[in-house]
Amino acid sequence: MLKILGKRLLSSLAVLFVVSLITFFILKWIPGDAAQLILGTEASQESLEALRESMGLNEPWLTQYGNWLVNLFRGDWGSSYIYGESVRTLILQRLPVTFSVTIFSMLIAVPVAALIGILSALFKDSPIDVFSRSIMQLGTAIPSFWLGMIFMIVFAANLKWFPVTGYVPPSDGFLSFLHSIALPSIVLAIGELGILIRLFRSSMLTALEQDFMQSAQVKGLSRATAIVKYALRSAVIAPITVIGNQTAKLFGGTVIIETIFALPGIGRLLLTSVEQRDIELLQGIVLFITFMVVFINLITDLLVAAANPLICLETGGKD
Amino acid sequence: MKNKKPKFSVILGMVLISIILLLCLVSFFWLPYDPDRMDTANRFALPTAAHLLGTDQFGRDVLSRIMVASRSALLVGLCSVSVGALIGLVVGAVAAMSGPRLQSLIMRVIDGFMAFPGILLAMMLVAVLGKGQINAVIAIGIFMIPSFSRLVYSMILENKTRLHIKAARSYGCGPVRIVISHIFPDMLPRMVTQFSSSIGGAILTESSLSFLGLGIQPPSASWGMMLSEARQYVLSYPFIAVAPGVVLLIAVLGFNLLGDGLNDRLVRKGVRS
């Protein structure tokens, strides 16, 4: 177990290192540097030079990268020139919104997908299966911004079940908070259904074909008992990794839903930073999101490894 | 029974794609109206015989705009996936055929690119390159590279140890020749599958970028931008959000279904034989 932990930790760190390199050097290509962006095109040469000097933009790139990394570890993620605040404060302020929408939508998507996926595996080629495969295709193809708008028209504007836009923080009442993020979460959840149903369906199909199912039935268990006692159990473990992965991905993909429903989350901050080319803010957000992705993936992998001793043997035991 | 299902999805996919292709081709010869002509007296019109899909907030004909926008959707989809597939092929092949050090270096970089979730990478690239159609192609193209190179990489590794490759090497074939004339034919079915589904993804990404105002810029038409413009009026005039979304859905669904169907027919058959 320790061996896996070490290995996975190392590879996660390697990925994060590469990500920080990519982020830093891609954003270095933005035409006009940070000083130019802050002062505008009409700034005098002297003031530009002075600002460059004070921001350390005249240093070689590698030194700049090193400084940036060191500051990140110190907790200084730079400051946003459009908001005039520290990047860390801006991100942490908006984190709860994005976080709750992400978690809430997974809480909706996973049970629904598990139910549909497992049922459609049990009744393969039946109308249930055809229905679930249609949802699978539609779920992946439907543009979330369109679905968001349609849901807004139907459920918020016409049926008035949910508020149209706006976010209520949990401090103003937990129920109204849930109410305000319900519709965005449902729309996000539908987008996830495609992948998740496919996952549960194929995992259950594999489980049903396993030898232990046959031996269970040979030993006299009814099919129903065998399914409940053995197949279900093994079918639910496999998707955990992908669920973790999807949660992480979803976390970075909320920008569209936040735009439609006017939620003050990280996605909106990201969009503003891209539009305004606020380099330090953009760097901070991108790195924060990818860090979360890598971190969530690491945790899921370790959880799965802890739950399933076979994985320990496969990856950790051999070498 | 098993052979019937894939056939159905391939056919449905092709039908959906043909609808979009037809819209696109016809748009070069005939459009119901000039897509940019404004008619302020006739804003937010519901579908009538004169305007089959109604008019938008400036009184422009929605059908004409959808038809014109289909050009850029297909163009961006095809071009960006071609860019991604081509570069991905080269990168994946180089990684798979090179020594262990270069191999792990390239794969770590690919892992790094894959860690950016969703359209984050594309958005970051737009921040650097600027908005607009060509930059959208480049951004989405780069966004597509990692998945293609992963695919190519794993397929070459799978094939590398097979007997006919070893034979070719013993005859003095270089790595480039081996990949092109001995491994590539085996990879083709899966490349085609991936290509088709990626086009669906690319069209969706382009429209998402345009929806966020980062892709195709006005006055050109794009499905994502039409929906973004519709957003301001959607509560009073819900109808203007329907048509562009449905067309977008048809396009993405068409390419995804075709990809899935081809996957079932080409790839699985290949595995069995």
Side-chain angles (χ1 to χ4, degrees), chain A residues 26 31 133 137 146 259 277 286, chain B residues 5 116 127-128 231 241 245 260:
Chain A
I26 283 186
R133 280 197 304 221
Q137 289 293 351
W146 183 62
T259 308
R277 289 185 162 164
V286 169
Chain B
K5 288 263 151 55
F116 294 98
V128 175
R231 195 164 68 92
D260 273 13

Side-chain angles (χ1 to χ4, degrees), chain A residues 4 220 285:
Chain A
I4 302 184
I285 298 174

Side-chain angles (χ1 to χ4, degrees), chain A residues 19 22 26 29 31 133 137 141-143 145-146 149 153 157 164 198 249 256 259 270 274 277 282 286 289-290, chain B residues 5 112-113 115-117 120 123-124 127-128 130 207-208 211-212 227 231 234-235 241-242 245 248-249 253 257 260:
Chain A
V19 162
I22 295 173
I26 283 186
W29 276 349
R133 280 197 304 221
Q137 289 293 351
I142 215 159
F145 47 93
W146 183 62
M149 271 163 37
I153 299 169
V164 174
R198 191 180 297 240
K249 276 200 169 149
I256 287 171
T259 308
L270 171 71
V274 170
R277 289 185 162 164
L282 183 53
V286 169
I289 292 179
T290 37
Chain B
K5 288 263 151 55
F113 272 101
F116 294 98
L120 189 62
M123 284 178 77
M124 195 162 82
V128 175
S207 61
S208 306
F211 178 79
L212 294 172
L227 285 170
R231 195 164 68 92
V234 83
L235 293 178
V242 176
L248 179 56
L249 180 62
L253 196 59
L257 280 173
D260 273 13

Side-chain angles (χ1 to χ4, degrees), chain A residues 266-311:
Chain A
I266 294 182
R268 285 282 289 287
L269 195 64
L270 171 71
L271 183 59
T272 317
S273 71
V274 170
E275 277 171 344
Q276 307 291 330
R277 289 185 162 164
D278 189 336
I279 301 179
E280 287 193 13
L281 182 57
L282 183 53
Q283 270 173 347
I285 298 174
V286 169
L287 210 63
F288 180 76
I289 292 179
T290 37
F291 175 79
M292 291 297 286
V293 170
V294 173
F295 181 70
I296 297 177
N297 283 339
L298 175 70
I299 298 291
T300 355
D301 276 9
L302 292 179
L303 279 180
V304 172
N308 186 353
L310 266 181
I311 296 177

Side-chain angles (χ1 to χ4, degrees), chain B residues 106-171:
Chain B
I106 295 178
M107 291 325 282
R108 284 296 86 75
V109 174
I110 301 273
D111 284 347
F113 272 101
M114 287 200 117
F116 294 98
I119 58 170
L120 189 62
L121 184 63
M123 284 178 77
M124 195 162 82
L125 289 165
V126 168
V128 175
L129 300 163
K131 303 163 183 174
Q133 186 165 328
I134 295 174
N135 291 337
V137 169
I138 300 175
I140 301 171
I142 295 179
F143 175 65
M144 294 282 165
I145 295 175
S147 54
F148 273 102
S149 39
R150 271 257 180 100
L151 180 71
V152 170
Y153 174 77
S154 68
M155 280 191 294
I156 292 184
L157 282 193
E158 248 169 54
N159 278 306
K160 220 174 156 184
T161 48
R162 285 170 63 179
L163 213 54
H164 70 282
I165 306 299
K166 284 184 179 161
R169 186 166 294 149
S170 73
Y171 281 117

